[in-house]
Amino acid sequence: MRRAALCLMCLAAPAVAQESAAAARAAAAQLEAATVQLDRADGARDRIRALTETVRAYEAGLSAMRDGLRDAAIRETELSRKLRGREDEVAQLLGALQGIGRAAAPETLLHPAGPVGTARSGMLLAAVTPGLAANAADLRADLAEVTTLRQLQEDAVKTLQQGLAGVQQARTALSHAMAERTELPMRFTEDPVRTAILISATETLEGFASGLSEITEEDSESLLPSIEGRMGTLPWPVSGQILRRAGQEDAAGVERPGVVLATRPRALVTTPTSATIRYRGPLLDYGLVSILEPQADLLFVLAGLDTVYGEIGEVLAAGAPVGLMGGTEAETGDILSPIGDRAGNARPETLYIEVRQGDLPVDPMTWFSTDKG
């Protein structure tokens, strides 16, 4: 992956174009670093951790690239519309400048009224010329910025395509590595018959969560450290934006005690802290669910996944992969469109996060950091 193609901005380029170029170069550097991480992951001692970090790096780089290109596309469209709206003004300006250019000799500016008229004409020309020059400079700046932004988008296509291919390769490698993993400690063994009975007998998440302890065999006491001191600081399981907070109604008027995060398609979901997998699989109307137990009487419910990793009873380290969101990555052309990034993700994937302490739900914001809008 080459960054040279993105280094097209000269020092005289407009500030907005320079900012877009700088953002694109930074994103390209992130994607290039992710590619290096992917190459090294196969030989890494902890391959799953290496691949997890690689996917995260790709996601961050692609997000930055999308944001930068979207801003560049929007700015380029605005300038193009502005220039199209000034076509008559441009034609008049060119005519005026050409007229001045043809007036090369002082005698061509002589006025029929004699010296006084000539002086007045000269004063008028002197007053008008700076204005024409300023308009011409504005147009030159707009045209230069449009050209720069278009070139930036064209040069970003290859980088973007390579990044999208790289993150897909990393996700596939991670899924294979997770399927082959055997070394994780097991806290307990699931009883599938009891699990099936519990699912069929419960109609709410509350009822299922309260009966989780009944579906295990040889459940040993968790040796995981308490995380009470980390309340309000845990990282979110996935990168995204809060759509609904606890207690807010959804489009159907339903209130839930958890938080809904909007994520990008195929985003990686990880455990915010070391935890035991209490349940993984389909549940009620929540889709695929992963229920994590970081400590006794505390459950993190992650619902709406497309792929879930791990086995019930396994103890995961902090940051370990839990699953992937669904959806399909936007096409390169959509991302490069001024509205494509939004159109390609008009229906973002959503992850529902509920936290339960004892038998009661608590606001997830009590536990997770508040850096999301």
Side-chain angles (χ1 to χ4, degrees):
M1 191 175 301
R2 299 178 180 273
R3 281 183 291 165
L6 297 174
C7 300
L8 299 171
M9 307 301 156
C10 62
L11 292 176
V16 175
Q18 288 190 38
E19 292 174 3
S20 297
R25 286 196 297 270
Q30 288 180 278
L31 292 174
E32 186 172 352
T35 301
V36 173
Q37 286 182 253
L38 180 58
D39 292 337
R40 294 175 177 172
D42 279 337
R45 192 170 166 187
D46 188 340
R47 187 162 179 260
I48 289 177
R49 178 181 291 275
L51 287 169
T52 299
E53 293 174 353
T54 299
V55 172
R56 288 291 201 197
Y58 268 119
E59 289 180 346
L62 285 170
S63 180
M65 180 68 77
R66 288 186 187 99
D67 291 343
L69 291 178
R70 181 191 61 207
D71 292 343
I74 292 173
R75 176 63 175 167
E76 187 266 328
T77 300
E78 291 174 348
L79 287 172
S80 295
R81 289 174 179 169
K82 175 183 174 184
L83 290 171
R84 283 196 298 270
R86 297 179 65 186
E87 286 180 352
D88 292 342
E89 180 184 346
V90 171
Q92 293 175 6
L93 175 61
L94 289 176
L97 291 175
Q98 288 172 354
I100 292 174
R102 286 194 297 268
E107 51 268 21
T108 62
L109 298 177
L110 292 176
H111 197 277
V116 174
T118 300
R120 288 174 177 171
S121 297
M123 292 171 64
L124 179 63
L125 182 62
V128 171
T129 302
L132 293 175
N135 285 342
D138 288 344
L139 286 170
R140 278 197 302 270
D142 288 346
L143 287 169
E145 188 171 358
V146 167
T147 301
T148 298
L149 291 171
R150 285 179 179 172
Q151 189 65 55
L152 169 66
Q153 294 171 77
E154 290 173 6
D155 292 337
V157 170
K158 184 177 180 181
T159 302
L160 194 57
Q161 289 174 336
Q162 290 176 333
L164 291 170
V167 72
Q168 180 57 41
Q169 182 182 348
R171 287 170 181 151
T172 300
L174 178 60
S175 294
H176 289 162
M178 294 296 293
E180 297 169 356
R181 183 179 61 183
T182 58
E183 77 282 2
L184 278 186
M186 296 289 293
R187 178 179 159 191
F188 58 81
T189 304
E190 177 200 15
D191 186 326
V193 174
R194 290 181 180 176
T195 301
I197 293 174
L198 178 61
I199 291 176
S200 63
T202 56
E203 298 180 354
T204 64
L205 178 58
E206 179 181 359
F208 183 80
S210 63
L212 276 179
S213 60
E214 302 171 7
I215 65 174
T216 61
E217 295 179 351
E218 301 176 1
D219 192 344
S220 61
E221 185 177 346
S222 174
L223 299 178
L224 295 176
S226 171
I227 60 170
E228 294 291 339
R230 300 179 62 193
M231 291 182 68
T233 65
L234 293 179
W236 291 88
V238 66
S239 178
Q241 294 295 321
I242 294 178
L243 279 184
R244 283 189 300 278
R245 296 178 180 271
Q248 288 184 335
E249 292 185 354
D250 60 18
V254 177
E255 293 183 9
R256 297 186 188 274
V259 167
V260 177
L261 291 185
T263 79
R264 291 199 180 275
R266 308 303 295 162
L268 179 64
V269 181
T270 58
T271 176
T273 184
S274 53
T276 303
I277 300 178
R278 270 290 173 182
Y279 177 76
R280 61 177 291 280
L283 181 63
L284 304 173
D285 61 345
Y286 290 89
L288 280 181
V289 174
S290 182
I291 300 181
L292 308 174
E293 185 184 53
Q295 66 183 35
D297 295 324
L298 179 64
L299 297 176
F300 292 162
V301 181
L302 310 178
L305 296 147
D306 181 72
T307 302
V308 287
Y309 297 137
E311 299 296 335
I312 296 176
E314 286 183 341
V315 180
L316 305 177
V322 172
L324 294 171
M325 301 300 295
T328 304
E329 289 277 9
E331 297 293 333
T332 304
D334 289 335
I335 295 172
L336 292 174
S337 164
I339 60 171
D341 186 70
R342 293 175 184 173
N345 295 288
R347 296 183 59 188
E349 298 301 310
T350 55
L351 181 71
Y352 175 70
I353 304 174
E354 185 170 315
V355 177
R356 304 190 66 85
Q357 287 185 265
D359 292 329
L360 299 175
V362 298
D363 187 345
M365 304 299 287
T366 303
W367 283 94
F368 295 97
S369 64
T370 57
D371 61 346
K372 295 190 181 294

